[in-house]
Every structure is written in C-alpha cells, then in structure tokens.
Amino acid sequence: MRLLVSLVAASCAATALGAQTNAERMANDRYTRSHDYDLIHQRIELSNFNWDSTSFDGKVATTLVARRAGLDSVVLDAGAKLAVKSATLRTARHGDTLVVFLTRPAAVGDTVRFTVSYHGVVESGRGLTYVNSDGRPHRPRQIWSQGEDDNNHHWFPTYDFPNDKMTWDLVATVPRGMTAVSNGRLVSDVALRDGSHTFAWRQDRPSATYLVSLIVAPLVKVHDTWRTIPVDYYVYREDSALARPLFRVTPDMIDVYSRLTGVTYPWSKYAQTTVADFFGGMENVSATTLVDWLPGPRDYQDRPWYQWILIPHELSHQWFGDYVTTENWANMWLNEGFAEFMPGEYWREKLGAHVAQDYLLDEYNQFMQIDDDHRMPLAALGSNNIYPKGALVLQMLKQYLGDRPFWASVHRYLVDHAFDNATTDDLRQAVLDATGENLDWFWDQWMYQAGYPNFTVTTKYDSTAATLTLVVQQTQQDSSKADSTGLKYTTPPAFRMPVTVRVGTEGRAGDVVARAELSRRQDTIVVRDVQRAPTMVIFDDGNAILKRLTFDQPTAWLAVQLDRDPDLWNRHWVIAQLGQRPNDPLAAGALAKAATSSDYFLTRAAAAQALAEFPAVAALPPLQAALKDTSAQVRAAVVEALGSVGGAQAATLARQAWTNDSSSAVRAAAVVAIAQTDSAGRRPFLLQALLIPSYRDEIQNSAYRAIARSGDTTMVDSVNAHAGDHHFAPHVLAALAARGSTRALGLLVNLLNDDRIGVRGWALEAFRFSLRREIAQPALQAARAGLTFDDTKKAVDALLQEWQKDSGGK
Ligand SMILES: [Zn+2]
C-alpha cells in the first residue's frame, strides 16, 4: 500500500502488548492469529450491484482442510451487514463472524466444503467503495475494493488475516458498459441478454485473502507484455492516451526486479487499474489498484511521483507482500520496507548511484520527520515508520553485506517463504543461511529497538605524530515513556556499526582512509599517516549509517567536501552546515559553485535553496545563473529562494519564471515567490493563479498556501467560490478564520451543510486540522443544531467528543 502523503501511520491501531525488550521476537510473534483449519480455495460470485443502496448479492463456495481433530464448526470472518440468505450447512452469526456447523466432526486433514449465499450492504470504505460521479468530471460511477488490513470480510466471508493463503475464483456480473478487473487470469467474459457482462477471474497460485480485489468501472484496457505475461493498464477511456507513457516502464521494472531478486515474476498477469478517490496504491496480487491522477505529457519533466515511486512500489509488493507475506501486522515492515526500498534499486539500475541516493535522501527526510514526531521500532504493531525506515535499514544492510551477499540473502528469503508467510526473524535467518553471518545485533538495534545514533565528532591533528584523532560520541537519549499498557520502546545507548573516515590532505599524499568499529558511547579513532594538515574530513564516508551528525568544521573543509564527495547525503549535510554561515564569503562561494555547476541536479537545487538565507549581493548572481538550469527541480528551488531573498530584482526574476517556464513545479514556486516579493500585485495575481490547472493541482495548491500565509481576508469570498471543487479551499477559509475573519468562519460552517458529501468532509477536516481548537470547538458546538445531514452530525459529535476526552485527560 502506498499513501499519497508520506507520513503514514499503519492503519492497524490495536494496542500493543508486552515489552519490546530483548524478547522482541516473541513479542511480535504473539500477534499471529490462531485458527483450526487451512483455507484452500474460495469461489466468490457477486452480482446485482446497486449504487444507491451500496448493496450486492454474493455467493461464496469455500474449500478448507481441518487441522484439529474433531473439528465440528468453522468460524469465518464475515461483516455483520452480510445477511445470509441460504447455506449448504447450518450457520449462525455473531457480530462480524459466521459460524458454519459441520454435519459430523472432521478429522485432521479432512476436506470440508460449503456454500453461503447472502445479500451484502457495505458502508462505503469498508471493503467496497461505491463511487457516484456526483456531477464531478473525470469520475465515472464505479466500485473498488480495499482489503488491507482486514476489510475484505465486509464483502465476502473468509479468513481475514494474512497467515493463511488460498487460491480463488472471482466471478462478477456487472452492468452494461462496465468491466470487472480482479486477480489472476481472465477465464471468461460472457455477455448476457440485458447487456450486462459476467467476468470470471481465477487466481490459481495461493496468496493472502486481504489481496483479493475487485474493481467495477467503465474501463478500457491498454495491453502490454513482459515475456509472455500480459501486462495490462485499465483506465477510463478519456485517459487512454495517457496510460502508455505512464505505465510503459512496467515491463522493464518487472524485468529488473526479477533479475535482482532471482525470482521470476510469480503471477499469471499484472494489471494496474486506476480508480477515483483512491488513497494512493494497493498491491492486490497481480492486480494493483491505483489513484486516477495520470500525469500529462508536460509533467514528465518534473519526475512525477506516480512513476518515480507509486508504480515501482506497488509492483515490488508482488514479491514482497504478495509472494512472501508478513505473518502478522506487527511485521508489516517486511511488506512495506521492501516495497519502499525497491524503487530506489530500480532507479539505481537504470540511472545510477546518484539517483538511488536521491531517492533515499527523500526517505531519510521522511524518516526523521516521523521519528521526531513519535519514535517507534520497525518491527512493532502499528509502527509509524515502516516505509522510510524500512527502506533505509535495508539500504544499510546492503552496504554492510555488499551487493551480492545482500541479493543472495533476499533471494533466500523469497524462496524459503514462497507463497507463504514470514516474520522479521525469518529475514535474519535468510541472511545467516545465505552468508553465514548472524546479524542478531543488527536486527536488535535496527529492527527491534528504535531510534538511530546521534554522533558528535571532534578532531585533533598532531603534525609531529602525523595522526588525526577523532573522538566520536553517541549522544542519543532514550526519552520514550511506557504507554498505559506498560509497553516501552527502547533506543540503544550505543549503536554498533563499522565506519569509514576519509581525510583529504594537500599535495600528492592524497586521501587517507581509515576504517573503525563503533560500539560505545564514546569511541576514539586514530587515523595514522596523515603527513600534511587535513583539508577535509569525512566521517562515515559513503554514508553507511542512518544517523544525525554534529561535526563542527572549518568552512574550508566543508567547501572541499562539497566539491569532492560523491555521496548526496554527505553533500546535503555539508550544504546545511554552509547554509548556517550567511556572513561567510567562503560559504557563499562554495554554495554558488555548487548551485551552478554541481554534477547532480539535487545538489544544485539544495545549494540554491541554502542561498536563500544569504545577503542579496551574494545570492542573486548564482541564483540568476541557476534559473537557466535544465532541471525543473533546480529552477523551482531557485525561484523559491528568490522569494526569500526579496527585492525588486528577485521579484522580476520570479515573474519571468511564472510567465516563461513550462514546468508546473517552477510556476508553483513562482506563485509563492511573487506573493512574497510583490505585495501590491499579490491579490489579483493569486486570484488568477487559483484558476490555472496543473498536475495534482500544484499551482492552485501553491496559490492557496500563499493566500493562507498572507492572511489577506479580502480574498475570503474568492476562496469560498472554489470550496466545492478544491480540497484546499476549506482549509484556507479555516486559516483565514484563524486570523480573525468571522466571515471565513461563517462560510466554513455553511460548507458543513453542502449537498456534496465530499465537501462536507473537507470542511470537517479543516475544522479539525487547520483551526485552533479554541476557535473550532465553540464554532462546531454552535453549528451542531443547524446541521442537515446525519453523517456530518455524527462526525461532528465524534470530533467534539474526542476533543472533550482529550481535554479531560490532561
Ligand atoms: Zn506498500
């Protein structure tokens, strides 16, 4: 699964039990569910979909094998709103379970078969989402399913936990003009007399039940292949021209992943289907579901997220998650960490090391933001950091082991658990089996415990002894507290890792490189044979450790490193140090050089960004030069920096970028810069920008942000005019209400009674996230009596109750 936003809290929110101490593995194993049968196959037949009542009819034939002697009944998960009409065996309902009584007790190994027919009503979003077009463009009527974590039992009775795999048939009869897409291969598509169609799909290799998928929508198929395997893209007819440019990377990605893992793509086809109002992407086995925001031709110069992350992320789940599946949700990082790691490896194969580092740098920033907010380990139930930390820890493991042993370990992991489940410790065992190395210490500190090392480094050069001594302190603090159940996540006081130090020296002596093992709160590294005074000292050459680094150095050393260090993380760390020295001409010179001539665009962009804090006289010449960069990302960073530098010349340059640049990202940055630098022209300009369409509404979003930031309450009505068609508009009203506009607050309250359910939702979200509670709470309380729609009333009550509970607890 991949969300649009990167700050992802796992949806599985059950309370964690027990202590995450050295018995971590045991603690995580306890989350695996027990059951007394082995699900073998289900045939799921669905028909009579009704968009008004969000209902359908279902018939499910189940085959399973008893695993307990004297098994006399079978307990399936089945949403309370699935009303059983008939069954071949006696059944009983208890909440969200269905009990099926066998006619006589089964022995271990006996096969049991039964069929249940039912009428299903779903609350949209639980299992199936019914989408009505609501008059909005690019949004045909459709249905899509979402199983992960445990929502599939709301549309068919099954065993809804990842530790039992089955095969299945999915047969759906859908209205005229619609297609049903599901897992596995298409067995038949039969037209009925009334124009409806029955599609029969068969998933004939076992996978987990949360990966059963169904999409019903008016779709066209754009066909591709990898070797002999069909690779299909299902999109709305109006998007058919956009599909191939976007998805055509898929066969090559399948090829690269098959080669890297040594496991050939394991399924009979791969479909990617786009749907409306989706949260991002979901790796349903052989049939991924994706959001319907296909980039247009111009968007490719901005490296669209969809192709950069979303497609390769979901595809890699076909191995990590679908082929080998986490045994329980406490080990979910095995699914998500690999899926977040693999796109970087694909881009490394295609575009080189810098691009892979670029990808990981983004993961690093996300990881730090999440960890700052709330620190949790990778392997823990409900862990908040399984995506970026998973990717970063796997990258560290790869650097530690080396490429070949790493991929041999991954291969071993996949092969040993093919079509089956795994836990975090199974991956450690796979590394041990493939390389002979027991990395229990690595697993303990990076998988089972939380946090990362905070290094503080100081150096001393002794010219007589020709030594450079580094004192390395680990200063991380374990400040997390036990929760109400007594669960506490620990941060190691000292991380054990090998580290490389590179010392640059003048003259022909060149670099001196030393390796050392860190393992204590304070370690001392003595680099010998440093004959001349250092010109540069790189701690952790190659960036092999996930860390924060405090290392005060002369500007001259940093400037040399920025020039010479190929590692992007190291460069960005150096840029951050230089950025804090705005009055140092040497720092300005180093950043100017990097902004205009560094060999990788991200370094140029970061250097340009850092120049924003420098005096105009130092910053403007390199920024103006960098505005001609071939990379849109660099130009966007430059324009953003111009906004901060300010002044007439910066304003003119920002205007030029707005008018002439073909990239939406650059123009979006120009919106902010112009709002910052041109207070007289700001209002008409922002109102114009609100009307400019762009991919993922980048320009409009930027305009909304600029209005919110400006606090200009004369724009309240203009913003309100867009409240029905733009997610950000209600948030901007909230921001302006927070600045004291009673009119904005009144309009926001009105939106709670808007006819469109989505708009009501946006307004409620704005109350929750964009207003201070002392304003939002009384306003909602006052509005409560005047609300017309039950769903909004319920949601407002829930929010008010939640707030009350919060303040009661403190
Ligand atoms: Zn995912």
Side-chain angles (χ1 to χ4, degrees):
M1 175 163 18
R2 188 64 164 75
L3 306 193
L4 298 169
V5 284
S6 40
L7 297 182
V8 179
S11 48
C12 192
T15 316
L17 302 164
Q20 194 85 2
T21 60
N22 278 335
E24 337 72 9
R25 183 160 67 83
M26 297 286 291
N28 282 335
D29 285 355
R30 83 177 58 189
Y31 299 116
T32 302
R33 189 181 181 189
S34 298
H35 64 312
D36 45 17
Y37 55 86
D38 178 13
L39 199 56
I40 303 297
H41 186 85
Q42 288 194 304
R43 179 180 171 85
I44 305 156
E45 291 176 63
L46 304 177
S47 58
N48 297 327
F49 295 101
N50 185 312
W51 271 258
D52 297 323
S53 54
T54 62
S55 68
F56 61 95
D57 289 315
K59 181 178 161 191
V60 174
T62 302
T63 306
L64 52 82
V65 168
R67 295 205 295 189
R68 179 168 64 75
L71 182 76
D72 56 3
S73 63
V74 168
V75 179
L76 291 179
D77 301 301
K81 291 193 160 184
L82 304 184
V84 175
K85 293 193 295 193
S86 66
T88 54
L89 292 173
R90 188 165 65 85
T91 62
R93 300 301 319 258
H94 298 284
D96 275 349
T97 62
L98 172 70
V99 185
V100 179
F101 298 97
L102 311 190
T103 37
R104 54 184 155 70
V108 172
D110 279 1
T111 299
V112 174
R113 290 190 181 87
F114 54 86
T115 301
V116 176
S117 298
Y118 57 100
H119 180 69
V121 178
V122 294
E123 286 169 326
S124 247
R126 295 194 83 184
L128 293 182
T129 293
Y130 283 68
V131 176
N132 280 302
S133 86
D134 288 344
R136 278 162 63 190
H138 196 257
R139 196 169 183 271
R141 169 178 272 207
Q142 55 191 275
I143 299 169
W144 46 262
S145 70
Q146 172 56 31
E148 194 175 18
D149 299 347
D150 54 0
N151 276 323
N152 268 348
H153 71 280
H154 292 290
W155 58 283
F156 65 97
T158 192
Y159 175 73
D160 206 351
F161 201 80
N163 69 331
D164 191 351
K165 295 196 169 182
M166 65 164 190
T167 54
W168 61 88
D169 286 284
L170 199 146
V171 181
T173 301
V174 304
R176 179 195 294 273
M178 292 211 173
T179 298
V181 182
S182 184
N183 320 89
R185 63 191 170 84
L186 184 63
V187 178
S188 62
D189 166 9
V190 178
L192 307 180
R193 210 172 295 159
D194 63 354
S196 60
H197 275 245
T198 301
F199 293 87
W201 293 87
R202 178 166 298 156
Q203 172 66 30
D204 55 11
R205 305 185 93 178
S207 199
T209 57
Y210 75 88
L211 298 165
V212 176
S213 168
L214 173 66
I215 293 165
V216 178
L219 299 165
V220 293
K221 180 170 95 174
V222 178
H223 179 65
D224 216 340
T225 53
W226 176 69
R227 297 187 186 170
T228 57
I229 293 177
V231 177
D232 296 321
Y233 321 127
Y234 290 91
V235 298
Y236 314 146
R237 184 170 299 282
E238 63 196 277
D239 287 343
S240 50
L242 301 177
R244 203 177 290 279
L246 174 63
F247 291 116
R248 69 176 163 213
V249 290
T250 312
D252 189 54
M253 286 177 178
I254 295 177
D255 206 62
V256 169
Y257 286 172
S258 297
R259 182 157 49 77
L260 287 175
T261 60
V263 172
T264 305
Y265 179 78
W267 314 108
S268 56
K269 69 119 189 325
Y270 189 54
Q272 292 171 96
T273 308
T274 65
V275 299
D277 296 353
F278 205 59
F279 52 78
M282 177 63 209
E283 68 272 18
N284 298 308
V285 57
S286 75
T288 284
T289 308
L290 298 163
V291 65
D292 60 357
W293 289 351
L294 288 78
R298 278 175 135 187
D299 302 318
Y300 288 93
Q301 62 178 307
D302 296 334
R303 197 166 67 182
W305 163 85
Y306 208 120
Q307 201 175 54
W308 172 244
I309 292 179
L310 187 62
I311 292 173
H313 176 105
E314 303 307 339
L315 176 64
S316 67
H317 272 309
Q318 301 300 319
W319 287 260
F320 303 99
D322 298 0
Y323 183 68
V324 176
T325 308
T326 180
E327 185 179 283
N328 59 37
W329 298 118
N331 292 283
M332 194 177 175
W333 84 272
L334 291 172
N335 292 10
E336 296 303 344
F338 269 108
E340 197 72 358
F341 168 72
M342 292 298 286
E345 294 308 292
Y346 175 76
W347 295 116
R348 181 192 306 279
E349 291 291 309
K350 305 315 291 182
L351 301 172
H354 269 159
V355 180
Q357 290 167 11
D358 171 350
Y359 179 89
L360 289 163
L361 197 54
D362 204 26
E363 300 295 322
Y364 176 85
N365 292 331
Q366 290 175 38
F367 162 69
M368 282 297 169
Q369 206 181 335
I370 297 169
D371 192 85
D372 284 351
D373 185 49
H374 182 55
R375 171 167 290 182
M376 286 182 82
L378 262 187
L381 190 65
S383 176
N384 59 350
N385 221 336
I386 55 180
Y387 290 75
K389 189 176 180 185
L392 293 163
V393 166
L394 289 169
Q395 168 61 24
M396 249 191 311
L397 181 63
K398 180 159 156 273
Q399 273 173 284
Y400 178 83
L401 289 172
D403 285 9
R404 286 177 70 117
F406 174 80
W407 290 114
S409 304
V410 170
H411 177 76
R412 188 73 191 238
Y413 166 75
L414 288 171
V415 167
D416 284 356
H417 304 281
F419 302 109
D420 208 341
N421 297 102
T423 62
T424 303
D425 199 60
D426 290 327
L427 182 61
R428 184 195 61 79
Q429 186 65 44
V431 175
L432 176 59
D433 292 341
T435 68
E437 197 163 354
N438 183 357
L439 295 183
D440 59 326
W441 57 273
F442 188 100
W443 257 242
D444 177 64
Q445 66 189 20
W446 294 117
M447 277 70 158
Y448 296 125
Q449 294 197 67
Y452 55 87
N454 243 316
F455 294 113
T456 299
V457 178
T458 53
T459 59
K460 201 172 168 202
Y461 178 58
D462 182 339
S463 56
T464 335
T467 55
L468 179 77
T469 303
L470 288 85
V471 176
V472 182
Q473 284 177 300
Q474 297 197 31
T475 61
Q476 65 273 11
Q477 297 295 330
D478 189 347
S479 57
S480 67
K481 293 184 177 64
D483 70 11
S484 57
T485 68
L487 179 73
K488 181 185 182 306
Y489 300 119
T490 54
T491 298
F495 282 77
R496 166 182 164 190
M497 281 302 273
V499 70
T500 304
V501 176
R502 177 179 295 270
V503 182
T505 60
E506 267 170 24
R508 275 175 298 169
D511 291 354
V512 184
V513 176
R515 305 236 328 143
E517 184 84 17
L518 302 172
S519 62
R520 292 175 298 188
R521 284 294 271 186
Q522 180 168 320
D523 285 294
T524 302
I525 304 170
V526 179
V527 185
R528 299 185 192 285
D529 207 24
V530 183
Q531 301 294 347
R532 308 279 290 270
T535 55
M536 165 187 90
V537 178
I538 303 176
F539 173 77
D540 193 13
D541 190 36
N543 184 36
I545 311 175
L546 173 58
K547 62 183 179 292
R548 265 202 221 274
L549 175 61
T550 306
F551 184 5
D552 193 26
Q553 300 179 26
T555 304
W557 289 11
L558 296 170
V560 173
Q561 187 181 351
L562 183 53
D563 218 25
R564 289 192 44 205
D565 196 332
D567 185 84
L568 289 194
W569 186 92
N570 286 357
R571 288 183 188 180
H572 280 240
W573 179 84
V574 167
I575 288 169
Q577 312 308 307
L578 293 171
Q580 287 161 20
R581 303 176 187 189
N583 299 314
D584 182 340
L586 195 54
L591 290 172
K593 186 176 176 203
T596 50
S597 65
S598 181
D599 60 359
Y600 192 67
F601 76 93
L602 203 64
T603 308
R604 301 199 295 277
Q609 242 154 9
L611 282 167
E613 303 308 317
F614 282 65
V617 59
L620 277 176
L623 288 177
Q624 186 167 2
L627 208 46
K628 297 190 190 74
D629 204 288
T630 52
S631 156
Q633 253 168 291
V634 175
R635 300 197 304 277
V638 168
V639 171
E640 204 184 304
L642 287 170
S644 304
V645 171
Q649 195 190 344
T652 308
L653 291 170
R655 279 274 178 192
Q656 278 168 9
W658 167 253
T659 313
N660 302 329
D661 210 293
S662 61
S663 151
S664 313
V666 177
R667 300 187 75 213
V671 169
V672 178
I674 291 168
Q676 273 174 301
T677 52
D678 179 4
S679 54
R682 180 170 66 202
R683 188 170 183 280
F685 171 75
L686 288 177
L687 293 180
Q688 181 208 346
L690 281 182
L691 304 174
I692 310 275
S694 57
Y695 181 58
R696 294 179 77 188
D697 297 337
E698 239 173 330
I699 293 174
Q700 292 173 344
N701 291 349
S702 213
Y704 282 115
R705 273 196 209 98
I707 294 172
R709 201 183 297 175
S710 74
D712 183 345
T713 54
T714 67
M715 289 192 262
V716 165
D717 287 281
S718 310
V719 171
N720 187 56
H722 297 285
D725 49 52
H726 203 288
H727 185 185
F728 270 26
H731 287 274
V732 177
L733 287 179
L736 296 174
R739 300 277 194 117
S741 167
T742 49
R743 172 139 186 89
L745 189 58
L747 290 169
L748 192 58
V749 167
N750 287 349
L751 292 179
L752 293 172
N753 281 332
D754 195 281
D755 287 344
R756 293 156 293 191
I757 183 171
V759 178
R760 301 200 293 276
W762 295 343
L764 201 63
E765 234 176 65
F767 271 103
R768 187 190 188 110
F769 296 112
S770 301
L771 261 179
R772 283 195 310 276
R773 202 175 293 176
E774 53 272 32
I775 303 173
Q777 200 165 357
L780 278 183
Q781 261 152 1
R784 170 70 183 75
L787 295 178
T788 22
F789 295 95
D790 280 342
D791 59 342
T792 312
K793 266 186 220 165
K794 258 194 231 170
V796 166
D797 286 344
L799 184 56
L800 287 171
Q801 239 169 39
E802 186 190 319
W803 284 347
Q804 210 137 32
K805 224 188 313 175
D806 271 12
S807 54
K810 271 169 198 163

